[in-house]
Amino acid sequence: MDYLLVSVIKTLLIAPLLLATLAYIVWVERKVIAHVQLRVGPYFVGPHGLLQPIADAVKLLTKEDFIPSGVNHFFYWAAPWLGLMFAVTGIAVIPFGPTVDIFGTKVNLGLADINIGLLWILGLGGMGVYGIALAGWSSNNKYALMGALRSSAQMISYELPMALALAAPLLMSNSLNLREVIETQAGFVYGVIPNWNLFTGFQLIGFIVYMICAFAETNRVPFDLPEAESELVAGFHVEYSSMKFAAFFMAEYCNMIIVCSVATALFLGGWHPIVPPAVATFVPTLLFGISAGFLFYHGMNNIRPNDRYSFPFFGVVFAVLALVFLIPGVGPILNSLFWFFGKVGFLLFFFIWVRATLPRYRYDQLMKIAWLFLFPVALANLVLTAFFVTLFNK
Amino acid sequence: MSETLTPTAETEKSGHTRRMTLNMGPQHPSTHGVLRVVLELEGETVLKCTPDIGFLHTGIEKQFESLNWQQGITLTDRVDYLANLSNNLAYSLAVEKLLQVEIPPKAQWLRVLLCELTRINSHLVWLGTHCLDMGAMTVFFLCFREREDILRLFEMFAGQRLMTSYIRVGGLALDPPRGWEKRVRSFMETLPSRVDEYETLLNTNPIWVKRTKGVGLLPVEEMLEMGMTGPCIRAAGLPMDARKMMPYSSYEKFDFNVPTSTDNDVYARYAIRIAEIRESIKIINQAMAGMPEGPVQTSAPKVVLPEREKMKTQMESLIYHFKIVTEGISVPAGEVFQVVESPRGELGYYIVSDGTSKPLRVHMRTPSFGNLQALPNLIEDRMIADSIAIMGSLDFVLGDCDR
């Protein structure tokens, strides 16, 4: 009974939070890219454009759902939701934090704790291509069809080095359960170097290979060939409008969150902090405190008149957050959540940063990188890791 | 025409069922205006390419015949939205050749300066949109930041950002505005570092280099046959530049190089245009330093409107004013061809006059048309992504091509 209740509560908490996060990542992306490109980004809907995602959602919901002629109706309807479903389901197995005690009940921070967590994610990632391929095939459009073809080829070739890169840290933790993988990365070597797979496992190469594959897997710049705006107009979703388009959009961002979470769990030590625990407890408080200070300062010396009110308001919010981390009982839970989401957030920021910087690869170059560079490197990495794991474990 | 544009029939006959005909444009994001390209594809490879132009045909050459000589200037603005002043200049120089009037040095220097600003403007827009085609968004915004400065300068001179009509038959429309030297100089001081900024983003970027090096090759002879000019032909190693070969508007008095390269690929075209921006900066700085004093309009009473004050006080001036305003200037009968180097290449105006106040015929030899002609030869047997890169590298403006 307890188990059922906890699961329901967790689902009810995480599902809306996830949807809100997806909407606000778009806001963050627009803001970050705008500032890279000397613009301000969304600014007028709500303070600093903070209500923009809601306005977007309302727009997409109320927009005409146009269906072009000659589409295969069943697959045209199914494809976006199929893609979104596979993306969202992946979130279920990602652990956000350690097992905590809430009112006497042991609760795992994370939805499901299954022993084939990573296989589940890889499987869903492989299925995710169906959403895109079917969308491109069913919409009766040549650009969409080419986008779908590119996507299928790209995802299949990148799945392989990606899985090989992920296999190396799994060898070290000897488990497919993401929670266990993270727990093996606890502690510090010599008291300063965190015992993450990235550092003590010498998985830097694996991490880089995985991140490159992650870009291809999520169809992001510089591997955004399936939607290649300037070549295929919008690629596989060129014929989609309204909520069906939004579903593709959400699936893309959800996939980004998943690949970043997997990277965090397997290479970056999950919720384990980068500094020793004695210091780590105060890092969130310090960061939020500094942010609050900055906001107060810029609120005083404002450039835009509205900032006089909005910056101090956000400053107060940040200051309260900083203090919440100090409350005993709640603090440690929030602290581990902070480290997990901080790492995921940094990786997401990296995705956005790359999008603002790099041009797009050509189709054949993309395949060449996967098969002639990433695949051998990932394979060599795996073999070496296996060798050392056997050597040191005996 | 219709036969060449329906390759499906041909496809069915030859029995290649795997081929797909793709109608790229006229509203595709990378065709830079309204170009339609019918591509025959096998997978991602372009087997056949048939450009279809004429969507922006406005009959502008015919319109010249119903306007008088000065009014024609306003049409030249509308030919190429990125090289208005070059078009103004080509037309004015051609008419001035027929009229045989001498343009005062200050007007010539200012014409050079403005045309070089136009060149920088056009190359910046080219660089930005070309990067956008390749997927690099940020360069676009950086380029448009500087372009905005140039358009503000144009607005300062002519009161208009795009349809400048500032270079007129017989000189310039107006005296340059007060404080223009300061504005141009401060812009010239910031621009070189900004160009460096674009280069840091692109020159060492492996993806950019991979996408552009060795792409879009064509033998020089074939390029010449197709009538390619401008940066494209200079990237193929020919130092063809009307500013050096047939100097006009005192270009022979300026010290500048014509950058060439022998690589003949998309990267070379990019490098040439960047080098040309730097040369243009050099020319503008020279023009600023050696700016002569004097009037900006020639003293030919039958061509240029008299000063307002003289028109009110002198009978003769009033008569000239009346004649020019009511029936326009009359240009001696004859025909003339004048070439200038527009940012896109050789821009020629062929003008025939029958001695009346309206041209008998105006024809333009526009660089975009020649450059676009080579498109099929350049992109056949390449991939779609390459075809976008090559199309961008030709830097055509469809208004300039279709007229």
Side-chain angles (χ1 to χ4, degrees):
Chain A
M1 192 59 210
D2 251 10
Y3 175 74
L4 199 67
L5 189 69
V6 168
S7 297
V8 168
I9 290 173
K10 277 200 291 198
T11 316
L12 287 181
L13 263 178
I14 290 175
L17 264 179
L18 175 69
L19 292 180
T21 314
L22 290 179
Y24 275 90
I25 288 177
V26 180
W27 178 84
V28 171
E29 168 152 26
R30 287 173 71 175
K31 273 286 184 196
V32 170
I33 292 188
H35 281 92
V36 172
Q37 295 170 345
L38 321 162
R39 303 180 283 129
V40 284
Y43 194 78
F44 293 103
V45 188
H48 297 267
L50 271 172
L51 298 180
Q52 185 72 46
I54 295 162
D56 284 347
V58 169
K59 184 202 81 175
L60 285 166
L61 274 167
T62 52
K63 220 174 155 180
E64 186 198 352
D65 196 353
F66 180 78
I67 300 172
S69 65
V71 300
N72 181 322
H73 277 270
F74 178 73
F75 288 118
Y76 182 79
W77 278 92
W81 303 113
L82 210 63
L84 182 62
M85 189 184 79
F86 289 132
V88 173
T89 325
I91 294 283
V93 295
I94 289 165
F96 309 124
T99 310
V100 291
D101 218 346
I102 297 177
F103 306 123
T105 319
K106 288 240 180 276
V107 179
N108 284 329
L109 293 182
L111 273 180
D113 195 16
I114 58 176
N115 55 3
I116 51 159
L118 195 68
L119 274 185
W120 173 258
I121 284 175
L122 281 176
L124 287 176
M127 294 294 283
V129 72
Y130 275 97
I132 292 173
L134 288 176
W137 177 77
S138 66
S139 28
N140 187 28
N141 181 307
K142 288 169 182 171
Y143 289 117
L145 182 65
M146 279 179 6
L149 281 175
R150 283 180 174 192
S151 174
S152 319
Q154 174 178 332
M155 284 190 147
I156 288 166
S157 11
Y158 275 81
E159 210 106 281
L160 209 59
M162 185 176 181
L164 286 176
L166 289 181
L170 291 182
L171 280 179
M172 280 182 276
S173 49
N174 212 5
S175 167
L176 277 172
N177 185 332
L178 288 172
R179 183 170 296 282
E180 281 171 29
V181 175
I182 293 175
E183 269 155 15
T184 55
Q185 298 178 61
F188 287 82
V189 179
Y190 308 122
V192 275
I193 307 168
N195 190 19
W196 302 353
N197 284 334
L198 180 66
F199 298 127
T200 51
F202 302 104
Q203 283 304 322
L204 187 62
I205 292 168
F207 179 65
I208 291 168
V209 169
Y210 173 74
M211 280 314 280
I212 294 174
C213 295
F215 277 97
E217 191 69 11
T218 50
N219 298 329
R220 295 282 299 182
V221 173
F223 303 119
D224 64 336
L225 296 173
E227 43 184 297
E229 198 181 298
S230 52
E231 292 158 28
L232 304 184
V233 191
F236 62 90
H237 60 54
V238 67
E239 294 289 5
Y240 282 87
S241 52
S242 185
M243 264 329 268
K244 292 208 279 292
F245 167 74
F248 281 121
F249 215 64
M250 279 154 73
E252 181 183 329
Y253 284 88
C254 197
N255 276 326
M256 263 165 71
I257 295 180
I258 291 175
V259 291
C260 291
S261 304
V262 170
T264 307
L266 263 72
F267 296 100
L268 303 180
W271 54 80
H272 298 301
I274 194 168
V275 285
V279 191
T281 325
F282 300 103
V283 168
T285 312
L286 201 67
L287 278 179
F288 282 116
I290 291 172
S291 312
F294 261 111
L295 284 168
F296 285 132
Y297 176 78
H298 284 291
M300 309 277 201
N301 308 297
N302 51 331
I303 299 171
R304 302 185 190 90
N306 284 343
D307 294 352
R308 197 181 317 155
Y309 310 105
S310 58
F311 276 1
F313 172 76
F314 291 122
V316 170
V317 172
F318 275 60
V320 169
L321 272 174
L323 294 176
V324 165
F325 277 90
L326 295 177
I327 301 172
V330 186
I333 302 174
L334 286 181
N335 206 304
S336 50
L337 287 179
F338 168 84
W339 283 105
F340 188 85
F341 289 116
K343 288 169 195 173
V344 173
F346 179 77
L347 291 178
L348 285 173
F349 174 76
F350 182 67
F351 268 74
I352 296 168
W353 188 8
V354 165
R355 183 176 170 203
T357 313
L358 293 182
R360 182 183 304 119
Y361 265 113
R362 204 172 64 203
Y363 180 61
D364 58 327
Q365 292 168 344
L366 177 94
M367 302 299 270
K368 232 177 239 171
I369 299 170
W371 292 105
L372 298 182
F373 173 67
L374 293 178
F375 181 65
V377 169
L379 198 63
N381 182 50
L382 180 66
V383 170
L384 273 179
T385 313
F387 177 71
F388 281 111
V389 166
T390 340
L391 196 71
F392 289 113
N393 277 8
K394 274 180 184 169
Chain B
M1 196 65 176
S2 63
E3 263 173 51
T4 52
L5 290 178
T6 49
T8 32
E10 189 188 311
T11 323
E12 276 162 26
K13 253 183 273 165
S14 59
H16 288 287
T17 45
R18 294 186 60 208
R19 288 192 183 184
M20 179 166 90
T21 308
L22 184 68
N23 209 344
M24 199 183 255
Q27 71 297 63
H28 187 277
S30 295
T31 50
H32 297 272
V34 281
L35 170 69
R36 175 173 169 236
V37 188
V38 182
L39 298 174
E40 206 169 307
L41 305 170
E42 186 166 322
E44 289 254 337
T45 316
V46 179
L47 293 181
K48 192 161 172 263
C49 157
T50 319
D52 178 15
I53 59 168
F55 289 91
L56 214 58
H57 175 66
T58 51
I60 214 161
E61 291 181 359
K62 190 70 186 167
Q63 287 181 53
F64 272 102
E65 292 165 23
S66 57
L67 297 178
N68 65 32
W69 292 98
Q70 305 103 305
Q71 286 169 332
I73 289 279
T74 56
L75 290 178
T76 60
D77 285 332
R78 283 149 179 83
V79 174
D80 179 349
Y81 75 107
L82 291 175
N84 342 68
L85 284 154
S86 308
N87 278 279
N88 290 170
L89 180 64
Y91 177 79
S92 303
L93 283 175
V95 179
E96 281 156 11
K97 234 188 213 175
L98 281 174
L99 285 166
Q100 288 176 327
V101 289
E102 190 64 32
I103 303 303
K106 184 170 187 187
Q108 293 199 14
W109 254 251
L110 276 168
R111 283 174 170 191
V112 167
L113 187 142
L114 288 166
C115 283
E116 292 309 316
L117 276 176
T118 308
R119 190 180 314 281
I120 297 174
N121 172 26
S122 170
H123 284 352
L124 286 174
V125 173
W126 170 81
L127 181 63
T129 52
H130 187 48
C131 290
L132 206 59
D133 287 351
M134 307 286 245
M137 280 190 292
T138 303
V139 184
F140 175 78
F141 288 93
L142 297 180
C143 288
F144 267 59
R145 170 186 59 186
E146 274 72 72
R147 189 204 180 209
E148 193 59 34
D149 291 341
I150 296 182
L151 290 183
R152 289 216 182 100
L153 285 175
F154 286 167
E155 192 181 359
M156 194 181 182
F157 275 96
Q160 289 270 344
R161 287 152 63 87
L162 290 175
M163 304 301 151
T164 46
S165 295
Y166 187 63
I167 297 173
R168 299 276 172 90
V169 176
L172 300 175
L174 302 158
D175 272 322
R178 259 177 298 159
W180 69 275
E181 290 105 331
K182 213 178 124 202
R183 290 272 294 274
V184 174
R185 199 164 286 138
S186 73
F187 176 62
M188 282 301 127
E189 273 160 19
T190 52
L191 189 59
S193 64
R194 299 279 165 85
V195 178
D196 292 340
E197 202 176 329
Y198 317 140
E199 287 202 296
T200 47
L201 274 170
L202 297 171
N203 280 5
T204 50
N205 187 327
I207 304 179
W208 174 262
V209 173
K210 260 190 181 172
R211 281 292 303 275
T212 53
K213 279 227 164 124
V215 174
L217 305 167
L218 197 68
V220 188
E221 298 78 33
E222 221 168 305
M223 283 180 143
L224 282 172
E225 270 170 29
M226 292 292 171
M228 280 177 97
T229 47
C232 294
I233 202 85
R234 293 197 278 276
L238 278 186
M240 254 175 69
D241 191 324
R243 292 175 295 176
K244 284 275 186 202
M245 289 160 70
M246 350 169 195
Y248 52 90
S249 196
S250 305
Y251 262 111
E252 70 278 1
K253 291 177 187 151
F254 290 89
D255 172 36
F256 64 98
N257 302 321
V258 177
T260 55
S261 156
T262 48
D263 293 346
N264 199 3
D265 53 8
V266 176
Y267 187 87
R269 286 169 209 150
Y270 151 74
I272 293 286
R273 288 198 176 94
I274 290 281
E276 278 185 15
I277 292 179
R278 294 191 194 284
E279 290 301 321
S280 291
I281 295 172
K282 242 164 79 180
I283 296 174
I284 291 171
N285 284 336
Q286 286 171 36
M288 295 285 294
M291 182 64 67
E293 286 301 312
V296 293
Q297 282 177 333
T298 177
S299 58
K302 286 185 178 173
V303 178
V304 181
L305 281 177
E307 278 171 36
R308 198 81 189 150
E309 196 50 42
K310 275 188 187 164
M311 188 267 282
K312 284 179 183 168
T313 51
Q314 295 176 7
M315 189 60 203
E316 210 172 328
S317 296
L318 182 63
I319 293 170
Y320 281 129
H321 187 273
F322 181 75
K323 290 281 274 181
I324 293 175
V325 170
T326 51
E327 66 183 35
I329 56 176
S330 45
V331 172
E335 55 185 283
V336 68
F337 183 65
Q338 173 66 41
V339 165
V340 304
E341 185 72 21
S342 101
R344 259 157 285 290
E346 231 171 73
L347 172 68
Y349 270 69
Y350 172 70
I351 295 179
V352 185
S353 169
D354 56 356
T356 59
S357 61
K358 284 171 183 169
L360 184 69
R361 175 86 172 98
V362 175
H363 174 71
M364 290 157 239
R365 184 258 174 248
T366 50
S368 296
F369 184 75
N371 290 355
L372 194 56
Q373 261 193 123
L375 189 66
N377 298 20
L378 280 164
I379 69 178
E380 272 167 18
D381 296 323
R382 308 286 320 196
M383 303 198 79
I384 293 179
D386 281 344
S387 77
I388 299 293
I390 293 165
M391 234 187 267
S393 77
L394 295 180
D395 188 20
F396 47 80
V397 165
L398 264 299
D400 194 31
C401 175
D402 296 346
R403 276 132 34 217

